[in-house]
Amino acid sequence: MEKLTGLKKIKTAVFISGTGSNLKNIIKFSKIKKSPISINLIISNTNKASGLKFADQFNIKKKIFNFQSFKKIEKKILILLKKENIKFICLAGFMKILSKNFIEKFDGKIINIHPSLLPKYKGLNTHNRAINNKDKFAGCTVHYVTAKLDSGKKILQKKIKITTKDNPSSLAKKVLRQEHKLYPAAIMKVFN
Ligand code: GRF
């Protein structure tokens, strides 16, 4: 990834579909001096994403796209990203799979956080699967986004112990707390 020149931060968009706790955390991180990125745009595929409130709270532009006709929508998003001079994308709980064509336009500049120790448990219900399989560890991974789901190069990963007391929901909470540390660290790594 290109080195930072001077104090200019890389204009970044965050894509969400839900609560947006990672989004909030990335926004807060982006405001510290050493952050290589600024958050200039929030994109969601649904107006039901409660994380959209952080756009208003932090005065960041937001846009909701209905992903029913994928090709058209992605074209519109690309136009918006260009208009806003967005150079980097963080997916944070975004529940749509972007097309190969879209990803190629931002090659190496889209990253995602996934709540498992990739390559284990790509896709959904990661915590259920880890507990059902009696795994000793769960975790989270920040990785580059490629056309193959949850398969791009790993940037950082954090391992978390699963205890006998854990259920999918307690584990999700534990992992999420670590996600909030991992995502900013991964962003720093990308730009260093
Ligand atoms: C996180 O667990 C993330 O790893 C996954 O979706 C969840 C999003 O949580 N991709 P939030 O919306 O950031 O609170």
Side-chain angles (χ1 to χ4, degrees), residues 63-81 98-99 101-102:
K63 190 96 185 153
I64 297 144
F65 288 96
N66 178 344
F67 270 71
Q68 238 140 46
S69 97
F70 233 86
K71 241 184 166 171
K72 265 196 202 154
I73 292 305
E74 286 195 329
K75 218 172 163 188
K76 279 191 182 167
I77 295 178
L78 285 168
I79 292 169
L80 177 64
L81 294 174
L98 297 165
S99 73
N101 174 59
F102 184 97

Side-chain angles (χ1 to χ4, degrees), residues 99-135:
S99 73
K100 187 166 179 267
N101 174 59
F102 184 97
I103 293 165
E104 277 170 359
K105 297 261 166 36
F106 269 81
D107 195 22
K109 295 187 170 72
I110 310 178
I111 66 174
N112 178 44
I113 189 152
H114 184 75
S116 80
L117 294 170
L118 289 174
K120 248 189 164 179
Y121 309 134
K122 296 171 184 172
L124 299 174
N125 300 319
T126 55
H127 305 307
N128 272 307
R129 286 149 78 195
I131 286 180
N132 288 342
N133 286 339
K134 304 202 178 345
D135 287 358

Side-chain angles (χ1 to χ4, degrees), residues 16-23 91-95 112-116 127 140 172 175-176 179-180:
I16 63 163
S17 300
T19 334
S21 70
N22 277 290
L23 164 67
L91 306 184
F94 184 61
M95 298 307 284
N112 178 44
I113 189 152
H114 184 75
S116 80
H127 305 307
C140 44
V175 171
L176 197 59
E179 289 183 34
H180 296 161

